[in-house]
Amino acid sequence: MDTSLIQQRRNLVTELPGPNSKELDRRRSAAVSPAVSSVLPVYVHEASGAILVDVDGNSLIDLGAGIAVVSVGHAAPAVVDAVQAQIGRFAHTCFMVSPYEAYVAVCEALNTLAPGSEPKRTALFNSGAEAVENAVKIARHVTGRQAVIAFDHAYHGRTNLTMSLTAKNMPYRDRFGPFAPEVYRVPMSYPYRDPDGMTGEQAAERAIEQIERHVGADSVACVLIEPIQGEGGFIVPATGFLPAVAAWCRDHGVVFAADEVQTGFCRTGDWFACDFEGVVPDLMTTAKALAGGMPLAAVTGRADLMDAVHVGGLGGTYGGNPVACAAALASIDTMKDQDLAEAARRIGQTVTARLGPLQASHPGIGDVRGRGAMMALELVRPGTKEPDAEAAKRIASACHRAGVVVLSCGSYGNVIRLLPPLVIEEDLLGDGLDVLAGAIDEVLSGSAD
Ligand code: PLZ
């Protein structure tokens, strides 16, 4: 099937889910662990750009991009070609046994793209969680310290260490303990919920005071932070927060580790979210959009830190798989060739122009926020800041029924987030936003006055 023939247009030919999806869902119930859930039970047959075609022939608009993964679009031609060419040559050797060029080339690309001008090195892994685990290993090794600082609302993965770093109990942590030791949580800058007028510097001071009082700077290996929090609710810290935290780390020999797994690769309108305020992390984790849909993750960091780990200290059977590396090189080229950072900024403007005004007529929309193509709405009970998860759920369901894939998130489950492929066409994005606006009107209409 040539996916380039798939029209970039929403088109429903059955109710959602359709009969074929329902049949697959029956098989799923009998075969798949119910602990692994899906946002909507519509089974995908093929996909292109920002369109998912399901097993009943419906075309849905994808405003989630597989959770910020296919930024270059589904079945991006350069990625498809690179994957096909590589898998025909060899699919796997294990870089730790017999190395190959694509791994080296991905590391070179990441070292160049990552913020800061100091020499850097990269190591490759399979998933975001694995990258975060390795960033912590490196930070502990080079500092000889153990404590890791994570933030309220943080999400870093589902493995034991990263689950311990993740803030939210349900569904990520509940009854999955014991948790990894030496993880300490401090307040994030959350402008919508912080005291009015709290600056980024003040929010940093609040966090730092807690670190110094509860842990002690000398015990801290690293401060790990998402420069814009993803699963926690698309929380954009106040200006000045990240630079102040990074400066404190520098002054105290603490590794500043930025988790750019969700924010990386043009999503926020820059290559990385740290770029926005010129923050240079000591270590940076990436995954998701790095390889256009293939599983690949990385830790990129200052050469002096990365070089301090003993030979053989990091690795894994599949880390930096050649097919995933070929996909990454093609994805990165596509982002450069098509200037997807600029595309993300344009998407941000379109979303803000369409959704921003809804706030005036719907007091249930507490906040419209985000950066670039990482935008969200936080839903609250009108006249309060009390989270309204039910409204978020109903709005998302209405979008799903109409063939628009939107995701929710947030510590309180009350945030609707948009993460479209960065190649989404203007008209298609407009249609998706119209559906979302209609769903908001429908669900919040009681609160319109
Ligand atoms: N760090 C910042 O956003 C993954 C998780 C979805 P993996 N986010 C989506 C879910 O419910 O499991 C994420 C992230 C940040 C780390 C991760 C973990 O990346 O590739 O899912 O391991």
Side-chain angles (χ1 to χ4, degrees), residues 108-334:
E108 287 169 345
L110 285 169
N111 296 343
T112 306
L113 293 172
S117 52
E118 292 195 50
K120 294 182 210 77
R121 309 268 192 263
T122 291
L124 300 179
F125 305 97
N126 301 292
S127 66
E130 204 188 344
V132 171
E133 293 254 356
N134 279 280
V136 172
K137 281 168 69 172
I138 295 163
R140 284 177 167 161
H141 190 99
V142 301
T143 59
R145 305 171 180 175
Q146 295 186 350
V148 180
I149 306 298
F151 288 82
D152 280 346
H153 315 289
Y155 184 91
H156 297 292
R158 292 177 183 262
T159 58
N160 185 264
L161 174 58
T162 60
M163 164 181 74
S164 307
L165 292 161
T166 291
K168 191 174 174 177
N169 183 52
M170 269 312 252
Y172 308 121
R173 301 163 54 102
D174 196 55
R175 300 177 62 152
F176 290 139
F179 301 103
E182 291 301 321
V183 171
Y184 300 90
R185 195 169 307 287
V186 298
M188 177 66 177
S189 165
Y190 190 163
Y192 177 61
R193 293 189 178 276
D194 281 342
D196 276 346
M198 179 179 253
T199 65
E201 288 78 5
Q202 288 165 341
E205 194 42 54
R206 178 178 62 180
I208 289 163
E209 189 276 329
Q210 289 202 11
I211 300 172
E212 291 183 335
R213 190 154 47 84
H214 293 153
V215 192
D218 290 351
S219 298
V220 180
C222 67
V223 169
L224 173 68
I225 189 162
E226 298 157 85
I228 296 178
Q229 288 182 322
E231 303 305 307
F234 280 26
I235 301 167
V236 185
T239 309
F241 177 76
L242 292 173
V245 173
W248 178 86
C249 287
R250 216 167 25 248
D251 290 348
H252 293 85
V254 171
V255 172
F256 180 81
D259 182 349
E260 293 255 12
V261 165
Q262 190 154 161
T263 47
F265 301 103
C266 302
R267 175 55 55 188
T268 62
D270 290 296
W271 274 100
F272 299 100
C274 278
D275 291 326
F276 191 74
E277 288 188 84
V279 170
V280 178
D282 301 312
L283 298 177
M284 178 176 85
T285 55
T286 54
K288 290 190 184 281
L290 165 59
M294 296 296 287
L296 186 67
V299 178
T300 301
R302 256 178 30 220
D304 59 319
L305 302 183
M306 300 295 284
D307 290 351
V309 178
H310 52 276
V311 171
L314 306 177
T317 306
Y318 290 112
N321 169 273
V323 182
C325 285
L329 294 171
S331 295
I332 291 169
D333 278 349
T334 303

Side-chain angles (χ1 to χ4, degrees), residues 7 62 79 93 140 165 179 245 287 293 348 380 396 404 421 431:
Q7 279 190 25
D62 186 1
V79 175
T93 59
R140 284 177 167 161
L165 292 161
F179 301 103
V245 173
V380 292
V404 177
D431 183 29

